Amino acid sequence: KCKTLTMAEEVKLYGTWSSPFSRRIELALKLKGVPFEYIEEDLSNKSPELLKYNPAHKKIPVLVHNSKPIAESQVILEYIDEIWNNNPILPQDPYQRAMARFWGKFIDEKVLATRMKANFAEGKERELVTEEFFQQMEFLENELNGKDFFGGETIGFVDIVAIVVAIWFPLTQEVLGVDTFTEEKFPVLFKWIRKITEIDVVNECRPPREKHLAYVKARIEDLKSASK
Amino acid sequence: MADEVVLLDFWPSMFGIRVRIALAEKGVKYEYKEEDLKNKSPLLLQMNPVHKKIPVLIHNGRPVCESPIIVQYIDEVWKDKAPLLPSDPYQRAQARFWVDFIDKKMYDSSRKTWTTKGEEQEAAKKEFFEVLKTLEGQLGDKPFFGGDNFGYVDLSLIPFYCWFYTYETCGKFSVEAECPKFIAWVKRCLQRETVAKALPDGKKVFEFVSVMRTNLGLE
């Protein structure tokens, strides 16, 4: 729930309850104890504020800090980390920072697209894309390499970005009735999923399960009937 | 112990050129290794197993991949000279946003101006100009995207200029006619020695592309 904000510091987040990109911003703000006002956007009827604050992409999430907007979730995460430097999300060391940015980019630009394709492709294409997905998961599995979290002993930038893998992937899989992303194949990742989903603040920032299941079911139905 | 810096690159790559400009701005000595993308070296495959792409910066044996990440790394390591990103966090966020915009919008639309024909090419040209106009709007009256000083957004965008001759010739259009402010910005950037030295000649890029276009059945 939002606390009362003083005039000194005004933080607003424009987002949607089901978007992993929006939820990761909530998580970062909560991790740092930053009070904010949350505005739920209806993407079929975008508010004038959203269009004003993100004219280039017209997308959520947008963070507005003292009336100044920032868009693109990973850009927002870095900004939050720089303004509120308690509970740091990114490491201090330049090489470790580069590695964190690399894996964050890999997840958002490659893994998500491959997963989408693998879920909806058919026949030979499905086989090939699923194989690609497995290779990508292997890279993430190896990156964890005995650590509790991608960030080490506590969650960091990559963990926050990768929550889409921890929560959204298994849920979609449940709805689709497939079992490509399994503990058998990716024991290290699943151990990480268990650990991260035990964290209170992570659970405060995830879509409520039943509502989320229903939403994903409906979207998959839409996609299936659109492609017929 | 002296720094050992190696750059795995490909001469016409706009992403590689970004890194060359950044290293030059900082006065960093490095070994340039040209990759044959049809026959990638074992070093490249070892240093970038995830994407197998250039550019890759290898600093004291450790690889950094993805050009925006490499440039930010260079800025953070060699921080005592020629800052590339703004010092203000909000301005930094804006700079990162616009480089992300360029990578999402400029590359695909510009590429299609020379890899497609007919209706698809016309659509690509339209999108390309929309992107340029948006960037012009962002530049406004400032000399550079970074304000008074050449910076991260400028160096991320200017490498595309060596491909303009190719886009304009294949797509039959003129950027200067449509976006004179953009070209004025280009000329300001080219006055910088680091930029002028890093950009290959546009006609050389076009020669290289012509071979590819023939193979794609477009010539």
Side-chain angles (χ1 to χ4, degrees):
Chain A
K1 295 286 171 189
C2 42
K3 299 180 196 167
T4 317
L5 297 162
T6 63
M7 281 306 286
E9 191 88 77
E10 193 192 59
V11 182
K12 291 185 180 183
L13 173 62
Y14 291 80
T16 61
W17 67 272
S18 57
S19 158
F21 308 103
S22 177
R23 290 290 187 167
R24 58 173 67 148
I25 307 303
E26 287 180 41
L27 177 57
L29 291 168
K30 286 214 156 102
L31 273 168
K32 290 169 180 277
V34 179
F36 63 98
E37 183 191 343
Y38 175 75
I39 296 113
E40 177 73 25
E41 278 287 329
D42 173 0
L43 297 182
S44 64
N45 186 21
K46 292 173 182 178
S47 72
E49 287 78 24
L50 177 61
L51 301 178
K52 174 178 76 164
Y53 288 137
N54 191 4
H57 299 302
K58 305 175 174 52
K59 286 182 170 181
I60 57 92
V62 177
L63 188 80
V64 182
H65 184 209
N66 295 334
S67 306
K68 296 188 295 189
I70 304 116
E72 287 304 305
S73 68
Q74 293 197 19
V75 175
I76 299 171
L77 287 177
E78 291 219 33
Y79 177 79
I80 289 171
D81 208 36
E82 289 174 20
I83 298 287
W84 294 282
N85 47 32
N86 60 323
N87 295 340
I89 294 171
L90 277 159
Q92 285 301 307
D93 171 70
Y95 189 75
Q96 297 309 321
R97 290 163 76 81
M99 288 296 98
R101 287 172 178 144
F102 176 85
W103 292 112
K105 197 172 206 267
F106 175 67
I107 291 165
D108 275 0
E109 290 183 8
K110 298 285 178 195
V111 175
L112 296 189
T114 305
R115 180 65 171 167
M116 270 290 276
K117 271 196 242 164
N119 282 342
F120 297 105
E122 310 205 321
K124 186 71 185 170
E125 204 207 331
R126 193 189 181 95
E127 252 180 67
L128 288 169
V129 176
T130 304
E131 187 51 47
E132 198 186 333
F133 172 70
F134 288 159
Q135 282 171 14
Q136 292 176 347
M137 289 295 105
E138 273 302 322
F139 281 121
L140 289 181
E141 177 109 335
N142 293 337
E143 182 54 25
L144 271 169
N145 192 27
K147 295 182 294 192
D148 278 353
F149 302 106
F150 290 100
E153 284 165 32
T154 53
I155 64 170
F157 184 81
V158 181
D159 299 278
I160 294 172
V161 170
I163 282 173
V164 62
V165 174
I167 293 173
W168 275 258
F169 280 18
L171 194 116
T172 312
Q173 190 157 258
E174 199 183 316
V175 172
L176 286 168
V178 299
D179 61 352
T180 45
F181 183 47
T182 63
E183 179 153 18
E184 208 179 10
K185 285 197 191 79
F186 306 107
V188 178
L189 272 171
F190 273 77
K191 186 169 165 218
W192 166 80
I193 291 174
R194 261 196 300 282
K195 277 204 147 72
I196 200 164
T197 52
E198 272 165 14
I199 299 174
D200 283 341
V201 68
V202 169
N203 288 317
E204 278 168 40
C205 299
R206 63 193 291 176
R209 190 182 140 78
E210 290 311 312
K211 194 177 173 192
H212 198 190
L213 264 173
Y215 175 79
V216 171
K217 274 196 182 112
R219 294 237 39 216
I220 287 171
E221 284 310 311
D222 287 343
L223 279 166
K224 281 188 176 158
S225 52
S227 65
K228 286 203 171 94
Chain B
M1 191 185 105
D3 271 324
E4 196 195 67
V5 183
V6 178
L7 175 62
L8 305 183
D9 201 348
F10 178 53
W11 70 270
S13 161
M14 53 282 266
F15 306 105
I17 294 167
R18 290 173 172 173
V19 180
R20 289 174 238 164
I21 296 173
L23 288 167
E25 288 281 325
K26 301 282 185 178
V28 175
K29 286 191 167 46
Y30 65 99
E31 184 190 347
Y32 178 92
K33 283 196 158 139
E34 185 71 28
E35 282 285 333
D36 174 2
L37 298 185
K38 289 189 253 63
N39 186 21
K40 292 174 180 177
S41 72
L43 182 62
L44 174 57
L45 300 178
Q46 180 201 357
M47 290 288 147
N48 191 359
V50 176
H51 302 297
K52 306 176 176 56
K53 286 182 169 181
I54 57 89
V56 179
L57 188 80
I58 310 171
H59 183 205
N60 295 330
R62 297 194 301 184
V64 184
C65 307
E66 297 294 300
S67 64
I69 296 173
I70 299 172
V71 173
Q72 289 182 79
Y73 175 78
I74 289 169
D75 202 36
E76 290 173 20
V77 171
W78 289 279
K79 58 185 188 290
D80 297 325
K81 186 180 173 184
L84 301 172
L85 273 91
S87 50
D88 171 70
Y90 185 73
Q91 295 308 323
R92 253 205 306 284
Q94 292 310 302
R96 288 179 178 134
F97 174 87
W98 286 106
V99 172
D100 177 74
F101 177 86
I102 290 162
D103 282 356
K104 283 187 165 107
K105 303 278 187 181
M106 185 85 167
Y107 183 69
D108 280 340
S109 62
S110 64
R111 191 165 192 279
K112 285 192 198 146
T113 64
W114 64 269
T115 56
T116 64
K117 47 187 182 179
E119 259 179 56
E120 219 186 326
Q121 192 185 42
E122 288 306 307
K125 279 158 69 173
K126 189 162 173 272
E127 203 193 328
F128 179 63
F129 276 117
E130 273 167 27
V131 172
L132 289 182
K133 292 261 179 229
T134 303
L135 290 169
E136 265 190 337
Q138 186 52 31
L139 180 65
D141 293 321
K142 306 193 296 284
F144 298 104
F145 285 90
D148 287 329
N149 299 311
F150 178 85
Y152 180 51
V153 180
D154 304 280
L155 80 70
S156 299
L157 183 56
I158 192 63
F160 284 86
Y161 180 66
C162 68
W163 283 77
F164 275 25
Y165 183 77
T166 299
Y167 306 152
E168 289 172 321
T169 309
C170 297
K172 298 188 181 30
F173 60 83
S174 157
V175 175
E176 188 151 23
E178 288 287 326
C179 305
K181 272 180 129 183
F182 192 90
I183 296 299
W185 165 80
V186 167
K187 290 180 176 159
R188 277 194 291 278
C189 290
L190 288 173
Q191 279 168 10
R192 269 183 112 68
E193 203 187 332
T194 54
V195 175
K197 280 194 165 159
L199 260 65
D201 182 75
K203 297 211 167 97
K204 266 195 152 166
V205 174
F206 179 66
E207 263 169 44
F208 158 75
V209 167
S210 297
V211 176
M212 282 204 284
R213 275 173 55 96
T214 310
N215 295 340
L216 283 168
L218 289 162
E219 298 259 306

